[in-house]
Amino acid sequence: CLLRGEKETRTHKTILLDGMDESYTDAMMEDLIQALGRSRSQLSIWFGWRTEHYYQKETERLSRWIDNVLALPPWDIDTAEEYVRIYAKKTDQQMLQKKFHAQVQGNDTLLGFIASPFQLTLLVYLLEDGTLLPDAFTQSLVAADLTIYKLYEAFFRCWLKKERLRKTSNLPETEIRQILWAIARKIYYGQLCPVDCTDSAVTDLLIFSPFPQGEQRLADRFYHRSLCAFFYADSIFAAIQQGGIPLVEALNQPLKNDITDFVRSASSTISSVSELERLQKNLMDTYLYTITRSMALDLQTRRWIDRLPKEKLFCLKNEIIYLVTRLATPDSAVSSFVEAAYQHETDPYLKLDLAY
């Protein structure tokens, strides 16, 4: 009411709007700017969002209402050690602090993860409950090749086992993943998602809207936005491995960096050359069909592609170019694919992408 100008106050008020990068669409930002213009109250408003998101959304109109921009620096090792010390004391696990200190010493990969408070929280969670994971998986958490995908995958495995022990989760892992994939695809783009599932491995990762749709709960967001990005990317990676229509559907809309970073990280976990080549072939065959009408794809997939609107077809091809040239796949076939695609491609923007 204060923001809309529907109510005034004689005393100064401060309003904190956190999670701007998670919940606020472009339309909502426009409404907010208009509300700021109407409000006559004595208000100070603090916006909380990621640095890169602020620069993406900054406009001349919005800047008129912003007096100061404060950037929180990444956490360093001292901050992380203090966090773990307090956590260990609160949970009465003094050995946890020693375990953390021993693991991060000389491990540049782990040091890279402590800059993010949430990723540090995941690391501590896994070190605390590492007994729930297979030994090989636990060892991978402190290995030099730990990736962002492995970290979140380990969290999900550990989370699932803990919920099983609580006897509040009974669905098969595959079904839980598929439910979380579907929810992530909607929430990532700012949509509320109806949730019928009552399994705690799903519901306890979500924050729900206080306004249900009848008797059905609506998921508003994940506990942390990076979890949403992880599950969305996990579904995309599975679709690329499967190929065909799932791949086409997964890649026919623009993907942001947090998604593609997870997908690239996931591909680096595959050690089999033949499996990497198959993944690469799924992407290349799909693109080449759009420009050469090659018959490598099955009939249903070819028809599916033929029915795509122009803008979705462009997105599909653009994302494939990005992934083929950046995934951790053998380089031998990439150069010949790029040459063939550049030769037959007619869209000037895609040709420019291929040229780079």
Side-chain angles (χ1 to χ4, degrees), residues 14-26:
T14 298
I15 298 176
L16 175 61
L17 297 177
D18 197 12
M20 297 292 291
D21 52 341
E22 299 185 25
S23 301
Y24 278 71
T25 62
D26 291 340

Side-chain angles (χ1 to χ4, degrees), residues 66-325:
I66 297 178
D67 294 324
N68 296 292
V69 177
L70 304 177
L72 298 178
W75 282 18
D76 57 20
I77 184 60
D78 293 333
T79 310
E81 292 270 15
E82 178 65 8
Y83 170 84
V84 176
R85 184 190 68 78
I86 295 172
Y87 183 93
K89 183 177 180 181
K90 293 286 187 181
T91 57
D92 196 24
Q93 299 181 81
Q94 297 308 312
M95 289 303 297
L96 182 62
Q97 184 179 3
K98 293 181 180 179
K99 185 189 293 187
F100 175 80
H101 183 79
Q103 299 292 4
V104 299
Q105 290 302 309
N107 191 325
D108 292 337
T109 304
L110 284 186
L111 288 174
F113 286 115
I114 67 173
S116 164
F118 186 72
Q119 290 176 15
L120 173 62
T121 302
L122 292 188
L123 278 172
V124 173
Y125 176 86
L126 292 169
L127 289 173
E128 177 186 10
D129 294 303
T131 55
L132 295 176
L133 296 169
D135 289 341
F137 213 96
T138 304
Q139 289 301 315
S140 73
L141 292 176
V142 294
D145 62 347
L146 174 65
T147 64
I148 187 69
Y149 179 84
K150 280 185 179 178
L151 175 64
Y152 280 73
E153 175 67 13
F155 164 76
F156 174 64
R157 298 263 192 99
C158 189
W159 167 261
L160 190 56
K161 289 202 172 188
K162 286 186 74 171
E163 298 306 292
R164 293 273 197 264
L165 291 174
R166 291 175 55 201
K167 301 189 183 302
T168 56
S169 175
N170 301 299
L171 292 176
E173 178 183 333
T174 302
E175 188 173 346
I176 289 174
R177 277 188 191 270
Q178 290 173 345
I179 294 171
L180 289 167
W181 288 352
I183 295 171
R185 283 193 293 267
K186 280 200 169 186
I187 288 180
Y188 188 84
Y189 292 104
Q191 302 177 53
L192 294 174
C193 183
V195 177
D196 294 319
C197 176
T198 58
D199 192 295
S200 67
V202 172
T203 58
D204 286 4
L205 290 177
L206 303 171
I207 295 176
F208 290 88
S209 166
F211 309 106
Q213 184 176 311
E215 296 184 358
Q216 195 171 44
R217 292 195 297 173
L218 298 175
D220 179 57
R221 58 191 184 276
F222 277 78
Y223 178 76
H224 193 269
R225 181 175 172 81
S226 62
L227 289 172
C228 182
F230 166 71
F231 286 113
Y232 185 15
D234 196 35
S235 72
I236 291 171
F237 186 61
I240 294 172
Q241 290 177 297
Q242 186 175 350
I245 293 175
L247 184 153
V248 175
E249 282 298 281
L251 299 180
N252 67 22
Q253 54 189 328
L255 302 176
K256 297 181 180 179
N257 288 345
D258 55 350
I259 300 295
T260 54
D261 286 349
F262 270 118
V263 175
R264 291 169 61 188
S265 178
S267 73
S268 70
T269 65
I270 298 177
S271 57
S272 167
V273 174
S274 61
E275 191 174 344
L276 286 171
E277 289 175 342
R278 181 174 59 82
L279 182 148
Q280 191 180 57
K281 186 175 186 300
N282 288 342
L283 291 165
M284 292 178 178
D285 286 348
T286 303
Y287 191 99
L288 291 175
Y289 172 73
T290 68
I291 53 176
T292 66
R293 290 301 190 238
S294 64
M295 304 298 286
L297 299 178
D298 63 85
L299 179 60
Q300 283 185 318
T301 302
R302 299 200 302 270
R303 287 177 174 173
W304 198 275
I305 294 173
D306 291 341
R307 290 195 292 266
L308 285 178
K310 287 184 179 179
E311 62 274 12
K312 285 186 173 291
L313 181 62
F314 177 87
C315 286
L316 171 67
K317 296 167 74 174
N318 192 51
E319 295 300 338
I320 289 177
I321 291 173
Y322 179 88
L323 292 172
V324 165
T325 55

